[in-house]
Structures are given as structure tokens and as C-alpha cells.
Amino acid sequence: MSITAHGIWAASPSTTRGQPTQLSADPKGERIAYASNKSIFLRSIDNSAISTQYTAHTAQTTVARFSPSGYYVASGDVSGSVRVWDCVGEGSTKGDYHIIGGRINDLAWDGDSQRIIAVGNGKERFGHCITADSGNSVGEISGHSSQINSVSIRQQRPLRAATGSDDTSIVFYHGAPFKFNTSLRGQHNNFVYGVAFSPDGANLVSVGADRKVCLYDGKSGEVKGQIGEGEHKGSIFSVSWARDSKRFVTSSADQTVKIWDVEAGKVVQSWKMGEGASISIPDHQVGVVWPAGRSDGLILSLNLVGDLSYLVEGSQKPVKLVQGHQKNITSLAANGHVGHGETLWTGGIDGRISSWNAVNGVGENVDGESHTNYVSGMTAASEGQGRMYSAGWDDTLRVIDTSANTFTGGAIKLAGQPKGIATSGKTALVITNNELEMLQDGQKMGEKQLNFEPTALAASKTLIVVGGNDNIVHVYSPSLRTLEPVAELRESTSQISSLALSHDGSHLAVGAASGKIKVYKTDDWSTATDRWSSHTGRIASIAWSPEGTHAVSGGLDTNVFVWSLANPGLRIKATNAHKDGVNGVAWIDGGNKVVSVGADAAVKVWAVEGLN
């Protein structure tokens, strides 16, 4: 048996309201780089299902920038650390440098891919200039009294750099080594969010919270003036130049993305995101990039909830929308067709639920009013119903119409915080703090009070299995509006954390907080194997293969294991599958692939071969 990485469906960029989010495109215009949680993702622009993940940061990442050569990426995090790494080969780290005592807000490379300026919110200084290969100091970033939000380096000689800050000023530097030249005050009267030199070095543009767009001479720093006053009705978060240096694009909290003609000083195209005239905070456009090296003139804009809009001049609407999760994915379910789960469903810590095409990896958020926080479980309705159930820590159960990718009906109130969800025939089962609720067609059919706190749930048409914090697995037989006890499995020495019944109902896998998995035969409750014990952390999820001969498990130890029932000592392992832990696993493609989700907000596909 073998398990190999087949694909990464990347997390969406992390965003913060009222702050710019930096996007970077490689010189060929093939990939974008962005920060998400503790990772950096390099994502194909043309096929959003193709991406690579860099996981060496130990703190929340904030920014990533491709070098002009296209061979390296520099990335920063909230601890003030900047890492330089190879983005063409294996992703090995070339350098790890501590720059400031706080958040890195932006990075810029010089035209030779040798020097990096990193800026942010430090305690003793707000930025520094270093060499990419050794971290040696090659200049000083000074002249600001508040955190620096943006930095740009002129790509031609003589080298120039500019920074924009919360102190409303722009500082112009001469280099190299970079040193203070002049402070440009009075152009902005609020936070400066973005500065950018044009590719030909002739112009510098700055944008900010005062809704102004200001131009300067790229070589001398001389002010040319403000253009397009009143065009944007909200803070301008980001600016990016076209390859021809004649136009640039801005994105704003007024939900618009605008292309500007520099010579005319006017907007030549504008896109408004969101529906209708009402203000939509999720549609704030907090980042934008105009990838060089492309012939189609594509622009990518990012909104506050992490959706990437693909914009093309001449088209009034985005030509493509890329969606996904920004935060920890807490639950995973395949659709109800056993072994042919061509649609995957994921729920996150923020209540967002997305559907994924298992063939091409395209994600789409479910329409309608979702949960308001943590999605604790999802399960497909019995085959043919075309429904998916989800339970969340807003103490509600919601129903998704899988064909329309939308929520149906209203939220169904539960008796308490749901710990798990499963289906038995047409009945949806939910465990809360001390009871098991039974629902059909949105109506409560009955409940059973439990004399223990339930922690895990699994069900088939003939069995309902509940694991508890008493370390016991309680097995029931479903009958009309009630449950009949069948067996109690008491061998576990730690809390039951995950349960899974094989598709034919012949085996039950029991995962514990200790990292051990035990498998029982359901006909006589004898032990099938107790040798699945390689996890070193809590078992978060177990899923059986369509044939019931193998199972996959994911745990808090960040690993994914595939186990053989016939040969319990045989196992294969995907180490460090998800940074900070695996939360869900499932089989797709008839049992040829495994999918996992975790705290890094990414969905990962693993090819499994040689199952025998």
C-alpha cells in the first residue's frame, strides 16, 4: 500500500476588516501567493485546484511576495519573522530573519531579487532592509511615527523605495543601501494603505483611507498631484500596476474595483461587487493584483470573506469566482452515494459551509443563511433524498439541498450544543450535552435522555452507536421514537472521540482520545482488531472504504493513516497532513483517493494505491 499527495485545494486568503490584504503574482502571471492562517499558498491562477503550501511559519502569516526572478518567495508573519524560500523546487527555506518585534504588514523585493524591505508594526522600529540570501542589513527604514502598511521598491537604478504609514505620510528612500531622503506629508490626511512604483519606474502611486489616489515622480519623489477625487466612496485598500505602466487598478471598501488611466487621470472601468445598492461588508475589496506576464489582462480582486474575483476589461461581471474556507475546517462529509462521493461538503469554525467538486476541486459556498459559528458535524441524508444535514454551535440543525447548493427551510433549533450528527434511514440523529435527538423532515420525532455526556455518534439503519466521556461505547437499536439498548463496549481506557460503521454495517471502528482505534464485529461485538494504534493524538475522524476492507483516520497529531482490516499490522501514513491537526477524512473516487481537512483550512487529496 502507498499514499501520495495528489492535490491541495487551497484555503482562501486571511483577511482583517479595515486592513489591506497583500496579493502577489509571479512574473509569468501563472500563480498568486497569499497568506492564510499559519501557511503561505501558491495557487495556480488558471486552475485554482492546483496549489502548493508552505508551512514553516510558526505564527499567523500576513504577507507573501514573489521575487522578480520568480524563483523565490519572501513571507512574513505576526511575530516579525521573514522567511525566504524556494518556490520552484521543494520549497526549502533559504533564510529565516527576525526583522521587527511585531506584525509584518508588507514586503518588497528589489529588481535584482537580492534585497528585501520588510515593514510593519514593530516596537523599536517599523521596518528594515536586508539581503535575501544572508539577512545582512542594507539600509534603514526611518521617518515614520506609526506602523507602516505598505512598501514598494523601484525596479530600475537608481534604486528608490517608498513606504506608506498610519501616520498619513509617505517616506521616500534612496538606495542602495536605502536611507531616508524625504517625507511626503500633506498628500493624505488618513492612513496610507498602499504604495506602488510603476513597472517602468516613472511613477509612484499611493492610496489610503482618505479615499485619495496620489501620484509622484518615481525617480525624484516629487508630488505630481491627486487624481480622481470622489471616485471611491470608501477606504482604498490596495493598488496594482498594469504591465504597460500606463494604467493601475485600485480596490476599495466601497465594494468597487477601478482601472485608472494615469495620463488622463481618470477611471476607465469600474466593477461593483455585491447585489443591489445596499452596503455589504463581506464585499469590501481588500486586495487586488494585476498579474504581469499575461496576455488576457486578467485582474484578481479579494473581498473580506476571502473570495477571489477574476475580472477582465470589457466584462461588467467577474468571469470567475474562487471560494473556499478562510478558517479551520471542522467537519467533512461526502455525498450519499457510497463510494462515489463526487461532491464533498465542508463546514468551518466560522459557520461557513462549502461544496467541492471532487473531480476538478472547484469549491463553492452554500447559498443562504448559514450557521453563525462552529460547524460540529455534517452527514448526508439516506440515498436518493438529495439532502445534507449540518449541525452547528449556534444550537441549530440546517438542511442543504445538494442539487441547488442552497439551504432549505429555516434553522431547526436543538436542545443544546450539538456534539455529533448521523442519519439512520430517514431519521437525522443529533447528540447534545445529555440527550440524543431524532428528527425527520425538520420535525422533532423524539429524544432519549442519556446518563452520560456523549462525545461521538455513528448510525446505520439497524444500529445507533454513541460514545461517551465515560469511556464506554453505547449501542442501541432504533425503534419508533425510542432506542433499545443492545450492547456496551467497555474496553476503552480513554474518552471516545470518533466512531464509524462500515457501509455494510458489519464492523464498527472506535477511535479514542488516546490515539488508539479498535474495530468490533457488529454481529457478536467481538474484537476484529485492536492493533490500529499509531496515532499519537486524539482521533478526530474515521472513514471506511466503500468495500469495508480498509479505513482511513485523521487525528490531532496532524497525521492521516490508512489501515487494512485483513492485515492489521499493515498501515500507510501521510505525515503532517494538516498543520495544527486533521479534523475530517473521507474516501472518494470509488476508494482510490482519500480526502482530509484540518486546521489549515485546506482540503487535501491523497492517492491511495495497492489496497489488498
Side-chain angles (χ1 to χ4, degrees):
M1 296 196 301
S2 68
I3 184 168
T4 52
H6 183 75
I8 299 173
W9 304 341
S12 294
S14 292
T15 57
T16 305
R17 188 176 175 187
Q19 269 189 358
T21 299
Q22 313 296 349
L23 301 174
S24 173
D26 70 2
K28 294 180 181 176
E30 294 172 351
R31 296 184 294 174
I32 57 167
Y34 57 78
S36 181
N37 300 301
K38 292 182 182 178
S39 302
I40 301 293
F41 287 96
L42 308 183
R43 192 170 194 166
S44 166
I45 292 174
D46 295 312
N47 184 353
S48 57
I50 298 174
S51 59
T52 54
Q53 182 182 11
Y54 178 76
T55 57
H57 282 278
T58 55
Q60 176 90 17
T61 55
T62 54
V63 58
R65 295 281 190 192
F66 282 103
S67 67
S69 68
Y71 293 119
Y72 299 102
V73 168
S75 54
D77 61 32
V78 294
S79 72
S81 173
V82 169
R83 286 174 175 265
V84 179
W85 44 281
D86 168 22
C87 65
V88 177
E90 294 295 309
S92 57
T93 303
K94 303 295 182 185
D96 179 11
Y97 315 118
H98 188 76
I99 305 295
I100 56 175
R103 186 183 196 271
I104 301 285
N105 286 335
D106 199 7
L107 299 160
W109 290 83
D110 74 345
D112 301 328
S113 299
Q114 292 178 351
R115 302 174 190 85
I116 296 168
I117 296 179
V119 298
N121 190 11
K123 293 179 175 63
E124 60 294 322
R125 62 185 181 190
F126 298 114
H128 199 52
C129 181
I130 58 168
T131 55
D133 55 356
S134 63
N136 292 335
S137 176
V138 282
E140 199 173 89
I141 302 302
S142 59
H144 286 294
S145 58
S146 252
Q147 72 164 340
I148 302 174
N149 296 314
S150 181
V151 59
S152 182
I153 299 178
R154 187 173 186 257
Q155 300 295 291
Q156 296 79 15
R157 292 183 182 275
L159 291 179
R160 302 286 185 262
T163 52
S165 165
D166 276 5
D167 64 11
T168 76
S169 72
I170 287 154
V171 172
F172 204 71
Y173 305 86
H174 284 194
F178 287 99
K179 55 183 182 292
F180 177 90
N181 174 256
T182 181
S183 179
L184 304 168
R185 295 185 178 275
Q187 302 309 306
H188 290 277
N189 54 30
N190 209 329
F191 303 156
V192 180
Y193 284 140
V195 292
F197 281 97
S198 59
D200 64 5
N203 290 296
L204 170 70
V205 62
S206 66
V207 298
D210 56 3
R211 311 171 187 183
K212 290 181 180 178
V213 179
C214 299
L215 287 170
Y216 315 82
D217 183 274
K219 190 174 177 182
S220 67
E222 190 180 321
V223 178
K224 288 187 174 180
Q226 181 188 344
I227 62 170
E229 188 170 1
E231 274 286 350
H232 276 297
K233 305 293 190 287
S235 297
I236 307 173
F237 287 120
S238 189
V239 60
S240 180
W241 284 88
R243 184 173 52 173
D244 61 10
S245 298
K246 295 177 180 175
R247 294 166 301 156
F248 59 83
V249 60
T250 55
S251 65
S252 166
D254 63 8
Q255 302 167 225
T256 64
V257 177
K258 296 178 187 284
I259 295 177
W260 300 75
D261 182 299
V262 176
E263 203 171 314
K266 291 181 179 173
V267 171
V268 292
Q269 173 139 13
S270 180
W271 292 271
K272 175 86 179 333
M273 308 300 174
E275 302 294 324
S278 60
I279 296 169
S280 169
I281 291 168
D283 285 307
H284 282 191
Q285 301 299 305
V286 295
V288 69
V289 63
W290 198 331
R294 293 184 70 91
S295 58
D296 57 3
L298 184 71
I299 294 168
L300 278 74
S301 181
L302 174 72
N303 71 10
L304 188 61
V305 292
D307 299 341
L308 284 165
S309 298
Y310 285 50
L311 307 169
V312 176
E313 278 186 90
S315 171
Q316 290 305 308
K317 295 281 183 187
V319 294
K320 184 179 176 182
L321 189 65
V322 175
Q323 296 182 311
H325 288 274
Q326 285 182 299
K327 296 179 180 174
N328 190 335
I329 301 177
T330 53
S331 57
L332 167 70
N335 68 8
H337 306 295
V338 174
H340 302 285
E342 298 307 324
T343 304
L344 292 165
W345 304 82
T346 52
I349 198 168
D350 55 358
R352 184 181 306 181
I353 293 177
S354 299
S355 65
W356 302 83
N357 184 314
V359 177
N360 60 22
V362 173
E364 189 180 352
N365 294 341
V366 176
D367 291 332
E369 190 180 337
S370 187
H371 296 281
T372 56
N373 56 17
Y374 193 103
V375 179
S376 58
M378 300 182 72
T379 184
S382 57
E383 222 171 317
Q385 285 186 283
R387 285 191 301 213
M388 182 71 62
Y389 297 107
S390 66
W393 281 8
D394 52 3
D395 298 350
T396 63
L397 177 79
R398 292 178 188 266
V399 184
I400 300 166
D401 181 338
T402 56
S403 59
N405 197 43
T406 183
F407 291 100
T408 62
I412 302 157
K413 194 69 181 165
L414 299 171
Q417 190 178 84
K419 306 286 187 67
I421 184 170
T423 51
S424 176
K426 293 184 177 180
T427 305
L429 308 162
V430 181
I431 48 171
T432 57
N433 290 334
N434 58 359
E435 72 176 37
L436 191 151
E437 294 189 52
M438 291 164 273
L439 305 100
Q440 266 189 29
D441 298 322
Q443 302 295 317
K444 195 167 180 178
M445 301 295 293
E447 75 272 337
K448 178 175 177 62
Q449 294 294 319
L450 304 171
N451 56 6
F452 59 92
E453 186 180 327
T455 55
L457 175 67
S460 66
K461 286 184 179 179
T462 56
L463 289 173
I464 294 171
V465 187
V466 184
N469 65 348
D470 55 2
N471 303 353
I472 300 171
V473 179
H474 304 261
V475 184
Y476 303 96
S477 171
S479 59
L480 192 64
R481 295 178 185 273
T482 186
L483 301 174
E484 299 295 330
V486 172
E488 286 188 352
L489 312 175
R490 295 175 171 268
E491 286 86 351
S492 179
T493 56
S494 60
Q495 183 176 303
I496 310 301
S497 59
S498 183
L499 296 166
L501 282 160
S502 60
H503 297 296
D504 61 4
S506 62
H507 290 87
L508 170 70
V510 179
S514 62
K516 290 182 168 50
I517 301 172
K518 191 166 185 175
V519 181
Y520 296 91
K521 297 175 182 174
T522 57
D523 52 1
D524 59 1
W525 300 109
S526 62
T527 301
T529 181
D530 58 1
R531 293 179 60 192
W532 294 0
S533 55
S534 297
H535 280 287
T536 56
R538 178 178 177 272
I539 306 292
S541 179
I542 306 171
W544 287 92
S545 65
E547 292 79 21
T549 56
H550 295 78
V552 61
S553 62
L556 202 59
D557 59 2
T558 75
N559 301 326
V560 170
F561 282 92
V562 176
W563 312 90
S564 167
L565 189 60
N567 189 350
L570 191 64
R571 63 182 182 274
I572 48 176
K573 174 185 181 183
T575 53
N576 300 320
H578 293 272
K579 199 174 176 71
D580 294 339
V582 180
N583 293 329
V585 290
W587 294 82
I588 59 169
D589 191 20
N592 293 315
K593 296 191 185 90
V594 164
V595 175
S596 63
V597 298
D600 58 5
V603 181
K604 297 193 178 181
V605 184
W606 310 87
V608 181
E609 295 175 347
L611 298 184
N612 46 35

